[in-house]
Amino acid sequence: MSITLNGKSVDLLEGVITVEQLLSHYHIENRIVIVEVNKEIVMKENYKTISLSHGDVVEIIHFVGGG
């Protein structure tokens, strides 16, 4: 399955993958993030239930500190 993640084409394993699994795969499941799938913001409580499909466009924004 192929999706667009933050503007880049990414190949994922076939099968059901949720937003939560995607965040875990990239080791950002414990960060404060905003996730958008196909131009719709996904609420954190729905990360376990929103499944990604071939061709989806996903944007993940996470915050970093600095000065």
Side-chain angles (χ1 to χ4, degrees), residues 2-53:
S2 179
I3 65 169
T4 301
L5 177 60
N6 291 351
K8 296 180 182 177
S9 181
V10 175
D11 291 321
L12 302 172
L13 295 176
E14 287 296 324
V16 176
I17 184 165
T18 63
V19 169
E20 181 180 68
Q21 291 168 325
L22 182 69
L23 294 175
S24 179
H25 176 75
Y26 286 100
H27 306 289
I28 55 176
E29 67 271 25
N30 294 322
R31 295 186 188 177
I32 297 172
V33 297
I34 296 172
V35 179
E36 182 184 273
V37 177
N38 298 324
K39 298 186 179 187
E40 292 190 24
I41 294 176
V42 178
M43 302 302 291
K44 185 175 182 176
E45 58 266 17
N46 295 329
Y47 287 178
K48 290 182 181 183
T49 59
I50 299 294
S51 296
L52 300 174
S53 300

